[in-house]
Amino acid sequence: MDTPTSTDAPALVNTSRTVERLVQGQATSDGAGVKLVRVLTQDLQRRLDPFLMLDAFGTQNPGDYIGGFPDHPHRGFETITYMLEGRMRHRDSAGNEGLLVPGSVQWMTAGRGVIHSEMPEQQEGAMEGFQLWLNLPGKTKMQPPWYRDIASSEIPEWHAEGVTVRVIAGATHGVAGAVQRADTEPLYLDVHLAPGARFEQPLPATHNAFAYVYRGGLAVAGTAVRRGRMAIFANPRPDFSVGATAGAGPDGVVLEAGDEGAKAILIAGRPLREPIAQHGPFVMNTQQELYQAVEDFRAGRLA
Ligand code: FE
């Protein structure tokens, strides 16, 4: 495959953010015994604010996923499920139903509460994808639930030589993604790179950002990021945007694929900087709000 060059276009990002930390994730199970890797764990919620959780699941073995995720509640945040392989049926207490198929996204805003199930609609074959949890600011945690199924064909793409980027949320190179959010300004890209290809993404300096590599391998500012690793990107110094360094480009990240090429999700967002109180599937600002969530769930007020 040809190696793309960027000599005919000015660099968007002069200096990439560096890799502050590589995270392998923790093998665990959730729902009715679905095996997955929790990549963004609770101890990283402050560092990666406004993101609360990232699970990666990928298996050929039906025993690892067939139990699915039977009815369970959520309150106070959004769940974004991105399927790479397999079929999952969603049903919720707000009356929504949808089928997740390869390449599609389900964006659910739990808001004040929803009870839903996510069940495999297949007996065999591969199941692979991601579920990301995106926090809501306190002022909208109790908004009515919202839900959208986004077909694979509805996800905008940006292409360059050796580069395909699926734009789930936010924007890249002038292509607006399928979903926008004002408070957290999430960027969610699925970046596919041919061997040796390079992708630049400007980022607002205050936004927290990370990438998870699910095929091949990348280098970011000289640090190798292998398959199955999440790279947390260092935020620039607070004075970065002042332009103290002559000729400095905007803040951002540069992903460079190795010899096998790479596929990675690149995620960034504006931190909410609010207290995070979590009890399982409820994420609020205070303990009192958590007690209320549990009480509302027990009393049937989430359905
Ligand atoms: Fe759920």
Side-chain angles (χ1 to χ4, degrees):
M1 217 167 281
D2 291 340
T3 302
T5 59
S6 55
T7 50
D8 53 348
L12 283 167
V13 180
N14 277 4
T15 307
S16 178
R17 288 192 189 189
T18 56
V19 176
E20 175 181 300
R21 185 172 163 192
L22 288 170
V23 175
Q24 186 161 7
Q26 296 173 4
T28 184
S29 70
D30 207 341
V34 177
K35 291 206 175 118
L36 50 83
V37 174
R38 187 141 297 162
V39 181
L40 196 175
T41 46
Q42 212 165 346
D43 56 310
L44 292 171
Q45 287 176 339
R46 298 262 23 132
R47 175 62 189 88
L48 294 177
D49 181 11
F51 301 100
L52 298 165
M53 192 189 84
L54 175 67
D55 283 347
F57 50 94
T59 177
Q60 305 275 344
N61 174 13
D64 291 344
Y65 62 74
I66 209 72
F69 301 87
D71 274 349
H72 60 279
H74 292 287
R75 174 180 278 183
F77 60 101
E78 307 189 79
T79 68
I80 303 144
T81 309
Y82 180 35
M83 293 296 283
L84 299 174
E85 294 281 354
R87 294 153 62 86
M88 294 270 273
R89 170 81 55 184
H90 163 99
R91 285 193 181 91
D92 71 36
S93 53
N96 299 301
E97 179 170 344
L99 185 63
L100 276 155
V101 298
S104 72
V105 168
Q106 180 214 79
W107 196 297
M108 185 182 82
T109 306
R112 69 175 175 242
V114 75
I115 296 172
H116 76 155
S117 62
E118 300 149 297
M119 300 299 289
E121 193 146 292
Q122 63 187 30
Q123 299 299 314
E124 54 183 27
M127 185 73 80
E128 183 177 10
F130 305 100
Q131 187 170 87
L132 178 70
W133 287 11
L134 170 61
N135 209 356
L136 288 170
K139 65 182 181 189
T140 60
K141 281 182 177 294
M142 294 298 277
Q143 72 170 76
W146 183 89
Y147 169 92
R148 185 176 160 200
D149 276 316
I150 305 161
S152 185
S153 61
E154 295 177 304
I155 296 174
E157 293 188 353
W158 178 74
H159 298 270
E161 195 177 348
V163 181
T164 294
V165 181
R166 311 195 72 221
V167 192
I168 296 167
T172 190
H173 298 258
V175 177
V179 175
Q180 310 296 332
R181 283 288 179 268
D183 294 310
T184 48
E185 296 177 36
L187 175 77
Y188 191 160
L189 306 178
D190 181 13
V191 181
H192 300 187
L193 299 175
R198 179 175 198 275
F199 173 68
E200 304 184 3
Q201 177 64 43
L203 295 168
T206 53
H207 288 204
N208 293 323
F210 60 98
Y212 178 80
V213 178
Y214 66 93
R215 294 286 187 280
L218 288 173
V220 181
T223 300
V225 189
R226 293 190 289 136
R227 178 180 179 174
R229 299 290 191 282
M230 172 172 71
I232 298 176
F233 301 121
N235 292 66
R237 294 190 320 274
D239 65 350
F240 188 93
S241 58
V242 177
T245 308
D251 173 40
V253 68
V254 180
L255 310 181
E256 296 175 280
D259 295 342
E260 320 161 75
K263 292 185 180 179
I265 51 174
L266 172 61
I267 294 168
R270 190 167 78 84
L272 291 168
R273 304 189 200 285
E274 293 182 3
I276 300 168
Q278 178 173 6
H279 177 72
F282 307 126
V283 183
M284 305 301 288
N285 294 125
T286 67
Q287 287 296 320
Q288 184 52 44
E289 290 167 342
L290 287 181
Y291 296 139
Q292 188 65 51
V294 172
E295 205 176 296
D296 287 350
F297 174 52
R298 287 187 182 145
R301 288 192 289 263
L302 258 59

